[in-house]
Amino acid sequence: MTTAAALFRTCPATGLKVHLPAQGLIKINAVTAIVFLLVGGIVALTLALTRWQAVHLLNDEWFYRMLTLHGIAMLVAWIVFFEMAVLYFASAILLNTRLAVPWLAWTQYVLMFVGAAMVAVEILLGRADVMFTSYVPLQADHWYYLGIILFAVGAILGCVVFFATVNAARVEKTYEGSIPLVTFGAAIAALIAIVTLAHGAAAFIPTWLWALGLVPMMDAEIYRLLFWGFGHSTQQINVCAMVSIWYLLGTLTVGATPLNEKVSRSAFVLYGLFIMIASEHHLLVDPGLSAAHKSWNTGYFMHLAVLASMIHAYSVPAATEVALRKQGYTKGLFEWLKKAPWGNPAWSSLFISLVGFGFIGGITGVVYGTEQINIIVHNTLAIPGHFHATVVVGTTVAFMGVTYYVLPLIFQREVAFPTVARLQPYVFGLSMYVVCIGMIIAGRFGVPRRSWDMNGVDGPFQVSFDPIVDMALAVTGIAAVVAVVGGAMFCAVAVGTLLVGKKIEG
Amino acid sequence: MSIYAVKPGWWNTPVHREEKIWIGVALVWCIAITLIMPVWHVVGDQNSSQEYYRISGDNYAALTDAFIEQYKVGEVQGIAVVAPPPGSDIFLRGAQWQWDPILKLTQGATYRLHLGSVDMVHAISIFPININFEVVPGYDYVLTITPTSAGEFRVICNEFCGIGHHGMIGKLIVDPA
Ligand code: HEM
Ligand SMILES: [Cu+2]
Ligand SMILES: [Cu+2]
């Protein structure tokens, strides 16, 4: 047992036992995620400054290339690498146990890294100007698809390691009762991931073989159906991981206890059951599916998952209110809110993520997912407006918030540049609110998404938009600059902590 | 505490009254927004179509060419202008990177608009009224339309279809009744 014991240390702050191989894997996945965030953020700046037509920074070819890279670096690499860190944390660390099969976890990392690097290189070489959706018959070089496949296989292995670890903890009885809520949420996320990645395989493996010239092209609509079975359900992994982190941050920042475990866990189960099949809101204005099919899929399935989000949207803030009131902030309705630790970047991240996800991302999501309303917003800039509110304001800000705890707990260093850290969630999160709203407004006036030039300079006819559009895009551009500064502040704090942060003994 | 294991018995903790009310209200709202979609197919004026056929790009191109030949009344920027009679089947073809023909319709008349692509996935966005549909190769997507306002509209491609995508802008004319 002595050798096994040497693989652990005890965290002085939480009393949790930390398995050192798990710690190493959490570190490397988190650091890689942040590197991709930095790349994606710099790229984002060039995109926003191109869409702001008064600046029009990139030429057409590079705009589309950078747009493809941005989607991959952010939505795929940053988010999924970070999720791997979250899975290992929620299993090995929170269950006080060893990470099962560390070599498999390293395989996860290597496959994902090689895959992501291949994809990025292909894009930069101009061999994959297809957007991250790569709708056939658009064709990228076959290495691009192989990179995506390797990345996805790596992610599946990460989920396998997660479940193996939870099982090891159960067998070795390292916890009593039921697994923590955060681990439960992560388990649902991992479960959705496995189903999702199966859709991904069904979409990408035949496409890869097609790019190699071995099989005929898949039907374009079937590709879209399979792609979104993968692409949308992936967003539900993100939601699930984000909500788990909301609960985690509620506990770490103000000591919140979930109001009712039964309600919160049942809501996670709703995610697991329904969200992974609800992906046809991407196909609401497509041929190939009947209206009955679309209504059923986006109505019944999606709204039961929306119900789950509504439940979390109540129980997370309510739990923090209860915790703060217990600390004595009981005056009036809102003293607890005023006295909340607004200077703690993890708390402000939690709040900005929760409010922005719910009020901007959630509402637009439900509205735009309505069959008939989708007709008037589909493929307009309002759609990136919506999903930047979910995946950036929601997921990304939550992940940034939890990093402020991962740094001391896992990297064992005090957070460097505390003033920068304190301001960071406000600078990034609030400017991102503006980016989202700017894009939504422009989209409502018919501005297309994924367009280098909306005025038709290269076309037979010109298009002139309402002057409000110019203002909306200018505001979006300026806010995007601020957001990128906010993102850079985050990266500076994270990297600075690793390099110069004061070591914490323990 | 969400980070620690929970003791057996957690399932039996009663749910607070406020939380129950919230869940009830949310559930009712979710049911309402679910129902609105099918209901709108009955009471609403603007719905997605359920009519589509499989067709090869070549066959779709042949149908469009025949349609253009039959009703062509002119040419603008090298693109044919066609004026089909009310009630007819009309064709719009998406190709990298042009929409053709230019349709000249009459306000208040009803048409069967066929959408098809001969290469990539494209999408129409009728500007400025903001009506958007995907145009997928291999499919003939039929929308029954009645233009309610007269004027000149743009047909913007808003699905990425290659580097020239932003130049894929067509025209649609609706003459007053
Ligand atoms: C620094 C903050 C960010 C800014 C200023 C920003 C800005 C933009 C802009 C201007 C576009 C192009 C919209 C269009 O023309 O269609 C875009 C697209 C996109 N962004 Fe971001 N973004 C940021 C962060 C993120 C993050 C963190 C994620 C994911 C986690 C993300 C995911 C995406 C995706 C998936 C697209 C769509 C790509 C496509 O259409 O293929 N963005 N973003
Ligand atoms: Cu097009
Ligand atoms: Cu296009």
Side-chain angles (χ1 to χ4, degrees), chain A residues 14 60 64 94 129-131 135-138 175-178 180-182 219-221 224 247-248 251 255-263 265-266 284-292 295 298-300 303 306-307 310-311 314-315 366 369-372 375-380 443-446 448 450-453 456 458-465, chain B residues 1-8 10-16 18-19 22-23 26-27 29-31 33-41 46-52 54 76-77 79 96-98 102 119-121 123 125 127-141 154 156-171:
Chain A
T14 57
D60 51 358
Y64 294 121
L94 290 185
D129 294 331
V130 293
M131 306 289 121
Y135 293 138
V136 302
L138 286 175
Y175 64 91
E176 272 173 67
S178 306
L181 180 60
V182 172
D219 178 88
E221 187 60 32
R224 285 171 61 82
Y247 282 107
L248 177 65
T251 297
T257 308
L259 293 185
N260 190 300
E261 293 275 350
K262 174 169 60 181
V263 169
R265 284 172 201 243
S266 303
L284 285 172
V285 298
D286 282 32
L289 293 165
S290 71
S295 292
T298 53
Y300 176 64
H303 293 145
V306 168
L307 178 66
M310 295 292 286
I311 293 174
Y314 176 91
S315 58
V366 169
T370 306
E371 204 189 342
Q372 293 84 357
I375 295 174
I376 58 179
V377 292
H378 185 74
N379 279 350
T380 68
R444 295 299 295 107
F445 284 91
R450 293 178 163 177
S451 174
W452 172 70
D453 182 283
D458 289 348
F461 309 108
Q462 271 57 61
V463 185
S464 39
F465 287 89
Chain B
M1 290 280 191
S2 59
I3 62 171
Y4 297 114
V6 285
K7 301 259 142 41
W10 54 267
W11 183 260
N12 299 324
T13 316
V15 182
H16 294 271
E18 290 86 348
E19 195 166 19
W22 171 266
I23 296 172
L27 181 63
W29 179 70
C30 287
I31 292 171
I33 52 179
T34 296
L35 289 179
I36 190 80
M37 289 194 260
V39 168
W40 197 259
H41 273 278
Q46 185 167 297
N47 279 295
S48 69
S49 149
Q50 312 211 46
E51 192 181 348
Y52 54 84
R54 298 232 173 190
V76 176
Q77 300 263 19
I79 305 172
Q96 276 178 326
W97 290 289
Q98 194 179 68
I102 296 169
D119 45 43
M120 300 301 150
V121 180
S125 177
F127 178 84
I129 52 175
N130 236 357
I131 291 179
N132 306 278
F133 283 94
E134 286 291 322
V135 181
V136 181
Y139 291 82
D140 174 4
Y141 194 12
R154 294 285 179 263
I156 302 176
C157 177
N158 70 3
E159 184 60 83
F160 176 74
C161 52
I163 301 295
H165 152 66
H166 49 273
M168 187 162 164
I169 292 173
K171 191 149 91 163

Side-chain angles (χ1 to χ4, degrees), chain A residues 83-164:
Chain A
E83 276 163 357
M84 291 298 132
V86 170
L87 285 184
Y88 298 154
F89 179 83
S91 55
I93 310 297
L94 290 185
L95 295 178
N96 263 312
T97 190
R98 63 186 173 85
L99 188 76
V101 259
W103 63 265
L104 197 60
W106 280 104
T107 315
Q108 164 266 313
Y109 177 76
V110 172
L111 283 179
M112 278 177 52
F113 187 81
V114 170
M118 270 165 68
V119 169
V121 168
E122 285 292 309
I123 294 170
L124 286 170
L125 291 177
R127 297 200 207 130
D129 294 331
V130 293
M131 306 289 121
F132 78 97
T133 44
S134 57
Y135 293 138
V136 302
L138 286 175
Q139 192 181 59
D141 196 76
H142 60 89
W143 293 107
Y144 171 88
Y145 302 107
L146 185 62
I148 300 268
I149 293 168
L150 292 182
F151 187 91
V153 171
I156 291 192
L157 296 184
C159 298
V160 170
V161 172
F162 171 84
F163 284 115

Side-chain angles (χ1 to χ4, degrees), chain A residues 135-375:
Chain A
Y135 293 138
V136 302
L138 286 175
Q139 192 181 59
D141 196 76
H142 60 89
W143 293 107
Y144 171 88
Y145 302 107
L146 185 62
I148 300 268
I149 293 168
L150 292 182
F151 187 91
V153 171
I156 291 192
L157 296 184
C159 298
V160 170
V161 172
F162 171 84
F163 284 115
T165 304
V166 173
N167 190 50
R170 199 178 55 85
V171 172
E172 291 162 21
K173 297 199 166 48
T174 61
Y175 64 91
E176 272 173 67
S178 306
I179 58 173
L181 180 60
V182 172
T183 311
F184 187 80
I188 298 284
L191 207 61
I192 301 176
I194 289 176
V195 177
T196 295
L197 292 164
H199 283 95
F204 279 98
I205 293 175
T207 309
W208 174 51
L209 297 176
W210 166 65
L212 281 167
L214 299 176
V215 300
M217 190 187 88
M218 189 189 295
D219 178 88
E221 187 60 32
I222 292 179
Y223 176 88
R224 285 171 61 82
L225 182 66
L226 289 172
F227 179 85
W228 286 114
F230 161 68
H232 189 77
S233 321
T234 316
Q235 303 324 307
Q236 301 317 318
I237 307 171
N238 301 342
V239 170
C240 222
M242 171 190 76
V243 173
S244 304
I245 288 190
W246 285 351
Y247 282 107
L248 177 65
L249 287 176
T251 297
L252 293 175
T253 53
V254 297
T257 308
L259 293 185
N260 190 300
E261 293 275 350
K262 174 169 60 181
V263 169
S264 295
R265 284 172 201 243
S266 303
F268 274 120
V269 171
L270 283 182
Y271 279 155
L273 289 179
F274 292 104
I275 207 72
M276 43 191 186
I277 22 193
S279 58
E280 284 173 22
H281 51 287
H282 289 268
L283 313 175
L284 285 172
V285 298
D286 282 32
L289 293 165
S290 71
H293 197 283
K294 292 172 185 172
S295 292
W296 181 254
N297 183 284
T298 53
Y300 176 64
F301 291 154
M302 189 164 91
H303 293 145
L304 278 174
V306 168
L307 178 66
S309 293
M310 295 292 286
I311 293 174
H312 295 303
Y314 176 91
S315 58
V316 174
T320 62
E321 175 176 351
V322 169
L324 285 161
R325 282 182 185 274
K326 268 198 195 131
Q327 289 168 28
Y329 304 124
T330 51
K331 251 192 271 137
L333 274 181
F334 290 117
E335 196 200 12
W336 65 276
L337 197 57
K338 261 191 241 140
K339 295 286 167 65
W342 294 103
N344 175 348
W347 167 266
S348 51
S349 295
L350 167 61
F351 226 80
I352 289 169
S353 169
L354 194 99
V355 171
F357 180 86
F359 284 97
I360 310 178
I363 290 178
T364 55
V366 169
V367 172
Y368 298 170
T370 306
E371 204 189 342
Q372 293 84 357
I373 295 175
N374 193 261
I375 295 174

